[in-house]
Amino acid sequence: MGQGKSQFSEEELQDYEDLTYFTKKEVLYAHQKFKALAPEKVGHNKNAKLPLTKILQYPELGVNPFGDRICKVFSSSHDGDCTFEDFLDMMSVFSDAAPKAVKAEHAFRIFDFDGDDMLGASDLRQVVERLVGSNQLLESEMQHLIQKILEEADLDDDGALSFAEFEHIIDKSSDFANVFRIRL
């Protein structure tokens, strides 16, 4: 990588390669992208933690209606602030190389706003509201849509989607892996 020495030892790079879906070269590239978000803070501090506002300056996160939720799911402190390792983990899961099952698990966590390990009506409402943005639905339309989602996907009729039910939907979606992606 040019004349600059990496902030990471060969052993650290090997660990990152072993623990992610990235090569060592991609890990170094991810670090460049992380550092570019706040060069003054990251500098030579490989353990720097960036606030959510800085992480959301990453173009694909900034325009994603779930950008803040994505950061919070991957943040080791759950406030959305991210270390490089949090950022690397996030980018790894959103990479083309990550398996569909891993992507599904994280998508479920992103959509589970209340953290109860189920996607209930309130979670589904928040998902829909974020997806439609300023094109708000009438309350009757929202209720109808949530009801239809649950009719289609709630296989055990308990009024919420478990991870297994969510995964069943994902398995039927041929485009999921292509949509659940962020390029470095």
Side-chain angles (χ1 to χ4, degrees), residues 28 34 41:
L28 291 171
F34 181 75
K41 187 160 185 170

Side-chain angles (χ1 to χ4, degrees), residues 12-28:
E12 287 171 316
L13 285 174
Q14 185 62 53
D15 286 346
Y16 287 143
E17 185 175 53
D18 292 344
L19 296 170
T20 67
Y21 300 103
F22 288 139
T23 64
K24 291 175 189 172
K25 185 176 179 180
E26 289 169 323
V27 168
L28 291 171

Side-chain angles (χ1 to χ4, degrees), residues 113-128:
F113 286 84
D114 60 15
D116 66 353
D117 293 327
M118 298 291 283
L119 299 184
S122 66
D123 296 313
L124 296 174
R125 174 182 292 275
Q126 289 184 69
V127 169
V128 172

Side-chain angles (χ1 to χ4, degrees), residues 6-105:
S6 168
Q7 287 183 319
F8 304 105
S9 69
E10 187 61 33
E11 185 178 329
E12 287 171 316
L13 285 174
Q14 185 62 53
D15 286 346
Y16 287 143
E17 185 175 53
D18 292 344
L19 296 170
T20 67
Y21 300 103
F22 288 139
T23 64
K24 291 175 189 172
K25 185 176 179 180
E26 289 169 323
V27 168
L28 291 171
Y29 186 66
H31 190 259
Q32 282 182 335
K33 292 293 193 173
F34 181 75
K35 187 175 180 178
L37 294 171
E40 72 291 345
K41 187 160 185 170
V42 177
H44 293 290
N45 179 6
K46 65 183 176 188
N47 299 314
K49 182 183 254 188
L50 300 185
L52 174 65
T53 53
K54 285 285 189 190
I55 300 297
L56 288 176
Q57 289 176 8
Y58 195 82
E60 288 183 85
L61 288 171
V63 298
N64 188 312
F66 299 97
D68 64 318
R69 286 289 306 154
I70 292 168
C71 292
K72 286 178 182 168
V73 163
F74 285 93
S75 171
S76 51
S77 56
H78 305 293
D79 57 4
D81 294 357
C82 289
T83 64
F84 171 65
E85 289 183 358
D86 297 336
F87 182 79
L88 185 64
D89 190 30
M90 175 176 26
M91 290 298 138
S92 177
V93 168
F94 278 92
S95 73
D96 289 331
K100 192 175 186 180
V102 171
K103 291 176 179 287
E105 178 187 332

Side-chain angles (χ1 to χ4, degrees), residues 99-156:
K100 192 175 186 180
V102 171
K103 291 176 179 287
E105 178 187 332
H106 285 83
F108 185 84
R109 290 177 54 210
I110 291 163
F111 297 154
D112 183 14
F113 286 84
D114 60 15
D116 66 353
D117 293 327
M118 298 291 283
L119 299 184
S122 66
D123 296 313
L124 296 174
R125 174 182 292 275
Q126 289 184 69
V127 169
V128 172
E129 286 172 348
R130 285 179 181 235
L131 289 173
V132 299
S134 60
N135 306 320
Q136 296 299 313
L137 300 174
L138 297 173
E139 182 57 29
S140 59
E141 295 171 320
M142 178 67 79
Q143 291 291 337
H144 182 73
L145 181 56
I146 291 170
Q147 179 185 345
K148 287 295 181 191
I149 292 169
L150 290 172
E151 280 176 18
E152 178 73 25
D154 182 14
L155 304 176
D156 61 6

